[in-house]
Amino acid sequence: MRRYRRTNKHQQNIEQSYSKLAKQESEPNQDYEKPKQLPKLRRIIEITDFDAGEAIVHRIELFKAARIDCYDVVIDGKLWQRRITEVGT
């Protein structure tokens, strides 16, 4: 079985293509936007209760916690619980 050697021109083409690829990967894309910082207040849930004869509104606020899947919960302006796990979104 006879093996053919690569010509110098062929080898240069391979080196150029790899160097272009490496250069593209090392340079950051100019169109890339940095992800925005998430706000501390992540969700607000308002519950209106009509059972008392007049409308009573309860406000539940979910704040960012140390973990991404947890919240600090404030109900009607008072801290209810820290680092509660998110349950079904």
Side-chain angles (χ1 to χ4, degrees), residues 4-49:
Y4 295 95
R5 69 178 188 97
R6 292 182 175 174
T7 63
N8 288 337
K9 184 176 180 180
H10 177 73
Q11 191 62 35
Q12 286 175 348
N13 287 340
I14 290 174
E15 289 172 4
Q16 285 177 352
S17 65
Y18 279 117
S19 64
K20 284 180 186 178
L21 183 63
K23 183 178 177 183
Q24 288 174 354
E25 289 178 355
S26 66
E27 291 179 358
N29 189 357
Q30 300 298 331
D31 298 334
Y32 175 75
E33 292 181 19
K34 289 184 179 179
K36 296 180 180 177
Q37 189 72 3
L38 295 175
K40 290 196 179 252
L41 179 59
R42 300 293 306 278
R43 289 178 170 76
I44 297 174
I45 303 167
E46 289 187 349
I47 300 172
T48 306
D49 186 9

